[in-house]
Amino acid sequence: MIPLQLQPTQSAPWSLYAVNGTSYEDTKSSFSLALSGIFGSISIACWIVLLAPQLLDQFRTKSSEGVSLLFLTAWFLGDLANLVGALWADLLRDVILLAVWFVFADTVEVSSAYYYRFFYKSRDHQSTNLVATFDDSPLDEPELTTDDVPLLSNNINTVSDSEADIIPVQSKQNFFLHYILPILGVCFAGYIGYLFRDHSPPEAPDADDTDDHLALGPQILGYTSATLYLSARVPQIIQNYQRKSTKGLSVLFFIYSTMGNVTYAFQIILFSSDPKYLLLNLSWILGSLGTVFQDAIIFVQFYMYRQKRPELLTSTPILSESNDTSI
């Protein structure tokens, strides 16, 4: 998820990106460099917790019908190519460990999705059939008379005015707890991570150790990884359109993805305004912005199909039925 083009090697740490022996750290003010570092730390924090919301949703609902398996598979292959490229390019240990974490998290998510899609449903179907065998022999059930039927049986969904006033407040509280608080938490964690980083300027690398380009193999893997990231969302967008629903997808998952890509792009732009530096990283900037554009399409789908996602509505469905006073 962090393209190889900007990842630090043993001779080019995060705080110093040199091309042909030229340090780009001197071309920006200390404030811009600090913002670049903060955005970079927030981006990493977003990538670390990225898949957690989707995993929790699948565990809670015991279903992965909403997520495209092609989407997850392409995402996994992109992170795998990123890891191989990081090892090949001999990047810093922290970067390699982060790439290992990406692959591990992807493995858990893909395994969970395939399990709930194929194995859990099969097991649940078998248990349903087992229960049905016991239902074949009907039991004597008492017949209900008209006196046993509640008079207002068709008015179960009616709520009082006081209850209707409370529901929007609860919805706002849930929105804060489920979305605003996690977003602020990730930003705070990224900022704390930046404060604990080593900000001392490293030794400038030798001119022989620097080059405008990485080795061909890691470079190919880096572009392959970026291509997989960009193309991964296409199957998900198509599936959402065909189902006319985003049920089963975590909104927070795509929020973290958008935050990670936006902060990553700002990290690059704020680090240096040198034309060579920006041109060298232009493909990754465009890749991040392209991913954000695709995420924006999915956000539009969240809005278009929100009627099937009660938790995305400003009020709960019960309010829409509160005017039904038929008996």
Side-chain angles (χ1 to χ4, degrees), residues 65-254:
E65 295 295 333
V67 64
S68 170
L69 296 181
L70 288 177
F71 167 48
L72 295 180
T73 302
W75 190 290
F76 170 76
L77 292 176
D79 281 338
L80 186 61
N82 187 53
L83 173 60
V84 175
L87 294 172
W88 194 342
D90 191 26
L91 302 184
L92 291 177
R93 182 186 62 180
D94 293 344
V95 178
I96 295 177
L97 290 177
L98 192 60
V100 171
W101 166 255
F102 292 155
V103 173
F104 170 77
D106 290 347
T107 302
V108 175
E109 167 60 25
V110 172
S111 300
S112 171
Y114 274 90
Y115 171 74
Y116 287 121
R117 182 71 60 87
F118 299 107
F119 299 100
Y120 183 84
K121 290 179 61 177
S122 176
R123 188 189 68 175
D124 185 63
H125 179 70
Q126 292 177 359
S127 61
T128 302
N129 290 338
L130 183 61
V131 173
T133 58
F134 290 97
D135 294 337
D136 290 340
S137 55
L139 298 177
D140 294 333
E141 298 180 356
E143 296 182 359
L144 292 177
T145 63
T146 55
D147 294 336
D148 297 326
V149 180
L151 182 61
L152 299 179
S153 59
N154 293 328
N155 197 28
I156 297 177
N157 290 329
T158 302
V159 296
S160 63
D161 293 337
S162 59
E163 290 173 332
D165 293 336
I166 294 175
I167 291 175
V169 176
Q170 293 177 339
S171 299
K172 293 179 180 179
Q173 292 176 346
N174 290 336
F175 182 81
F176 178 81
L177 292 176
H178 293 165
Y179 300 104
I180 302 300
L181 191 60
I183 292 173
L184 294 177
V186 168
C187 293
F188 179 74
Y191 178 71
I192 295 298
Y194 167 78
L195 294 179
F196 280 91
R197 281 174 52 187
D198 183 14
H199 301 288
S200 59
E203 296 181 359
D206 297 334
D208 296 337
D209 295 334
T210 58
D211 192 3
D212 285 9
H213 302 283
L214 294 172
L216 180 61
Q219 190 79 333
I220 292 176
L221 288 173
Y223 279 100
T224 301
S225 175
T227 302
L228 288 168
Y229 291 148
L230 277 174
S231 59
R233 286 161 174 76
V234 176
Q236 186 63 62
I237 294 173
I238 295 175
Q239 176 174 303
N240 294 343
Y241 175 77
Q242 292 175 341
R243 297 173 65 238
K244 298 295 186 293
S245 173
T246 58
K247 186 176 182 180
L249 286 181
S250 171
V251 181
L252 199 57
F253 167 75
F254 290 96

Side-chain angles (χ1 to χ4, degrees), residues 7-113:
Q7 287 181 340
T9 61
Q10 298 293 340
S11 60
W14 280 110
S15 57
L16 180 66
Y17 193 93
V19 174
N20 290 333
T22 301
S23 171
Y24 293 112
E25 190 176 17
D26 300 329
T27 64
K28 280 284 188 176
S29 65
S30 58
F31 178 73
S32 297
L33 292 176
L35 283 180
S36 174
I38 292 173
F39 278 127
S41 296
I42 293 176
S43 177
I44 293 176
C46 290
W47 298 135
I48 290 177
V49 301
L50 177 66
L51 292 174
Q54 186 64 41
L55 275 170
L56 291 176
D57 274 7
Q58 289 174 188
F59 177 78
R60 179 177 55 85
T61 61
K62 300 296 187 292
S63 173
S64 62
E65 295 295 333
V67 64
S68 170
L69 296 181
L70 288 177
F71 167 48
L72 295 180
T73 302
W75 190 290
F76 170 76
L77 292 176
D79 281 338
L80 186 61
N82 187 53
L83 173 60
V84 175
L87 294 172
W88 194 342
D90 191 26
L91 302 184
L92 291 177
R93 182 186 62 180
D94 293 344
V95 178
I96 295 177
L97 290 177
L98 192 60
V100 171
W101 166 255
F102 292 155
V103 173
F104 170 77
D106 290 347
T107 302
V108 175
E109 167 60 25
V110 172
S111 300
S112 171

